[in-house]
Amino acid sequence: EDLGEDETTLIATVRNLRKILTECLLEIRDGDNPDLFTMDDLFCHLQFGANNVEDAVVIQDLIKELWKESSNVDLRSRIDNGIADLLDGKHESALDTFSTIVTSDPLYGEAWNKKATVH
């Protein structure tokens, strides 16, 4: 279904939200904003402050998302696709994806981690 101009507005809004969320997640991961919590805060909370398994899983999932985050939306999407391939048992495809990512951005640590996981 074509939403006309509403569709264009919706797409622009989603892209803008994605940009804002990415900036926030990278600031948390990289410790660039003292007003936000840090990765160390998350690890301490995971170790000492999680009151139950559900809380621990939420914190663990947030940490995973922070490590996967990239300022390059295309690479971020590709790492998710590679992880999906890995989970589906498509190891060769996953390895190709992660290899392409680390060639594009050798500093993308989580892509190196996932590449090593495939091996």
Side-chain angles (χ1 to χ4, degrees):
E1 177 178 345
D2 184 11
L3 301 175
E5 285 186 36
D6 289 339
E7 183 174 8
T8 302
T9 302
L10 180 61
I11 290 170
T13 301
V14 168
R15 285 184 179 148
N16 192 39
L17 285 172
R18 175 68 189 151
K19 180 178 181 271
I20 292 167
L21 180 59
T22 295
E23 290 170 358
C24 181
L25 292 173
L26 290 172
E27 285 180 358
I28 292 168
R29 187 193 67 201
D30 299 338
D32 292 340
N33 187 337
D35 294 331
L36 298 174
F37 58 89
T38 66
M39 291 292 286
D40 284 343
D41 294 334
L42 288 173
F43 289 124
C44 285
H45 194 67
L46 184 60
Q47 184 174 8
F48 303 112
N51 296 323
N52 54 54
V53 173
E54 290 83 17
D55 289 348
V57 169
V58 169
I59 297 166
Q60 175 184 308
D61 288 345
L62 177 56
I63 291 168
K64 287 179 186 178
E65 287 302 312
L66 288 167
W67 282 120
K68 289 190 305 184
E69 197 55 59
S70 171
S71 58
N72 183 318
V73 176
D74 180 54
L75 293 182
R76 177 60 165 91
S77 178
R78 282 201 235 165
I79 201 165
D80 285 335
N81 292 337
I83 292 168
D85 285 345
L86 183 59
L87 293 173
D88 286 341
K90 301 174 185 172
H91 296 121
E92 199 62 39
S93 177
L95 182 59
D96 289 345
T97 299
F98 301 137
S99 295
T100 299
I101 294 170
V102 299
T103 299
S104 297
D105 183 357
L107 298 178
Y108 195 171
E110 190 59 16
W112 283 105
N113 178 42
K114 295 301 180 196
K115 183 177 178 180
T117 300
V118 175
H119 284 289

